[in-house]
Amino acid sequence: MKKEILSVYYLRVFAMLFVVFVHTTAQYRHLFTVDSIQHQFYHFMNNFVRVEVGIFIMLVGIVFFYIYRNKSFTSKELYQYGKKRVIFILVPYIVWSLIYEAEQLFLGTRVFSISNIWENILTGGSKYQLHFIYLVVQFYLLLPFMIMIVKRSHLLKKYLWLIGIILEFFFFMMRMNYGWDNFRFVNSLGAFLLGGWIGLHYDEIKAKVTNKKMWTFAVLFLACSISVIYIRYQNSFIEQIAIPDSVYKLLVMGFYVGGSFFFFYMSERFSTAFSETTTKRFKNVASYSFGFYLLHPLVLYQVMNFLPTRGPGLSFHIMIPLQYAITVILCYLIILFVHSYVPFANFLFGKLPQKQKPVWKIKTKEPVS
């Protein structure tokens, strides 16, 4: 039986909390004037945590390359792989796409059209966060073939992280210079194949994790993130900065790929430094991360209706943390309730543990697995 990668639970919780934070703080755009310190501060915070995109994609690579690094894709294995992806990913995605289509119809922001609903389901357009599932499905379709190809070559396995960065940069330059209409997944190959490399060599990488390496990647992440966020701010609100597309793309990859690897290192340190009880609590919450991703816009919208941000003054600074905290707590409680009392909860929130205690009831004597 394979050993669990405990850092995965920390990574899932980080990414889950970050994505809720992104959507909670997005209000800054229309509440503050562009030249105000508040606008600049919340722009920085909102964009800084967008590293969650890279973390989510890296996690897909870590988990599946780790699981299948010593397994063969027989016809039976492929069937089971496809069946699980349909039940735990595709079905919840379609269900929530229809829920959000119904929500928009109820609010009067969309006109009923079967063709538009169908197009939104096919492209992840039913709600602002669902485009990510559309992206992940592309990776799931390619994963078995990628793993089979990579496992045949020692060179590919050794330099998979570098190959991902090179391929992502190559497809970007082809699109910019020659108008290639790429599949969306190629824009995230760096983070995905970094995750694959970690999954293939996890034991070796874990043994070499040090504080010095972690802080080195922290510096890289901060340098790239500050540069990218500053350029985005200038280009969006002030005036365009004359910077080559290639240089900007490298900075963006440093932000997403380098940042994701930094959070992996930090999560590895947490998984060894924190108590077993803390890790079990992170695992408990992490098991609902996919549900959080699907559910949180619906909850956040209602929270913002009941606790609206009424102006750019002190109200904003109080209400944003309050809205964020309430949304996170409500999402957890809703998923916990559905998981505990509603049959076929997997069809709503993806793969869930067979039994789950509330996070506050977890005791030290219980095993992590």
Side-chain angles (χ1 to χ4, degrees):
M1 184 178 176
K2 272 192 175 65
K3 231 171 110 181
E4 282 187 302
I5 303 180
L6 299 180
S7 57
V8 161
Y9 305 129
Y10 290 87
L11 285 167
R12 282 179 177 160
V13 172
F14 285 139
M16 175 190 85
L17 294 177
F18 286 172
V19 74
V20 179
F21 188 82
V22 167
H23 298 142
T24 308
T25 57
Q27 308 166 60
Y28 82 90
R29 286 174 170 265
H30 61 266
L31 285 175
F32 297 104
T33 56
V34 169
D35 57 348
S36 67
I37 187 67
Q38 295 97 327
H39 191 277
Q40 294 166 2
F41 172 77
Y42 282 107
H43 172 83
F44 177 83
M45 295 300 295
N46 180 271
N47 280 266
F48 184 78
V49 297
R50 288 176 187 263
V51 68
E52 49 87 12
V53 175
I55 296 174
F56 269 124
I57 296 297
M58 181 183 70
L59 275 167
V60 174
I62 291 175
V63 171
F64 284 95
F65 275 84
Y66 183 71
I67 290 173
Y68 290 102
R69 63 179 180 173
N70 295 319
K71 290 174 70 174
S72 298
F73 272 106
T74 61
S75 56
K76 182 180 178 181
E77 192 67 46
L78 279 171
Y79 170 77
Q80 290 298 324
Y81 172 85
K83 180 182 175 182
K84 289 177 181 178
R85 303 293 81 72
V86 169
I87 293 173
F88 298 133
I89 302 295
L90 197 56
V91 171
Y93 166 73
I94 293 173
V95 169
W96 281 97
S97 293
L98 293 174
I99 288 172
Y100 287 118
E101 290 292 339
E103 178 200 34
Q104 298 307 309
L105 290 172
F106 176 78
L107 295 173
T109 57
R110 285 183 194 162
V111 178
F112 180 77
S113 167
I114 293 293
S115 60
N116 287 344
I117 292 173
W118 179 244
E119 182 181 353
N120 285 337
I121 290 174
L122 290 178
T123 60
S126 296
K127 197 67 174 180
Y128 51 73
Q129 92 284 18
L130 292 178
H131 69 91
F132 172 77
I133 311 298
Y134 172 70
L135 168 63
V136 167
V137 167
Q138 294 181 31
F139 279 118
Y140 283 146
L141 290 172
L142 292 170
L143 253 170
F145 307 102
M146 284 187 173
I147 292 173
M148 284 188 282
I149 291 169
V150 169
K151 284 168 66 175
R152 290 176 180 271
S153 169
H154 176 73
L155 198 65
L156 287 178
K157 286 194 288 187
K158 185 176 181 180
Y159 296 106
L160 193 60
W161 65 273
L162 180 59
I163 292 168
I165 292 172
I166 291 171
L167 284 176
E168 182 176 332
F169 185 75
F170 169 77
F171 283 113
F172 171 80
M173 295 306 296
M174 291 300 101
R175 186 174 76 251
M176 297 304 296
N177 294 326
Y178 301 105
W180 281 21
D181 188 14
N182 300 324
F183 288 104
R184 192 177 294 181
F185 77 89
V186 302
N187 301 321
S188 303
L189 280 172
F192 175 69
L193 292 182
L194 169 66
W197 176 75
I198 293 170
L200 289 171
H201 306 282
Y202 173 70
D203 299 315
E204 180 184 344
I205 294 168
K206 178 181 174 65
K208 295 180 179 179
V209 171
T210 63
N211 284 333
K212 182 179 179 180
K213 288 181 180 179
M214 183 180 75
W215 290 116
T216 299
F217 280 101
V219 171
L220 170 65
F221 170 51
L222 285 173
C224 291
S225 62
I226 290 170
S227 300
V228 168
I229 293 168
Y230 174 76
I231 293 168
R232 283 178 181 172
Y233 192 83
Q234 291 293 314
N235 290 351
S236 299
F237 304 111
I238 311 297
E239 61 179 348
Q240 291 285 321
I241 294 177
I243 181 172
D245 293 330
S246 57
V247 174
Y248 181 67
K249 178 61 177 177
L250 289 172
L251 288 172
V252 169
M253 286 196 294
F255 173 45
Y256 287 118
V257 181
S260 298
F261 198 52
F262 160 67
F263 277 99
F264 166 74
Y265 258 57
M266 187 168 69
S267 297
E268 279 295 325
R269 301 303 286 176
F270 285 172
S271 68
T272 56
F274 290 167
S275 69
E276 186 180 334
T277 304
T278 299
T279 297
K280 285 184 288 189
R281 287 172 178 160
F282 267 85
K283 180 179 180 179
N284 178 285
V285 177
S287 68
Y288 290 165
S289 60
F290 188 54
F292 262 80
Y293 193 86
L294 295 167
L295 173 66
H296 80 270
L298 194 64
V299 175
L300 178 60
Y301 179 79
Q302 296 304 322
V303 170
M304 291 169 71
N305 277 340
F306 281 101
L307 296 170
T309 308
R310 299 191 180 279
L314 185 61
S315 168
F316 186 89
H317 309 296
I318 294 173
M319 295 310 296
I320 287 296
L322 191 59
Q323 290 170 352
Y324 175 69
I326 292 173
T327 299
V328 169
I329 293 169
L330 283 178
C331 282
Y332 179 82
L333 293 176
I334 290 169
I335 300 170
L336 177 66
F337 176 83
V338 172
H339 183 199
S340 301
Y341 300 107
V342 178
F344 307 110
N346 289 327
F347 291 156
L348 269 178
F349 298 122
K351 187 176 182 180
L352 299 170
Q354 194 168 7
K355 293 181 180 179
Q356 180 98 307
K357 288 184 178 181
V359 67
W360 56 87
K361 288 188 176 181
I362 292 176
K363 306 298 180 184
T364 307
K365 64 180 180 180
E366 299 164 357
V368 175
S369 300

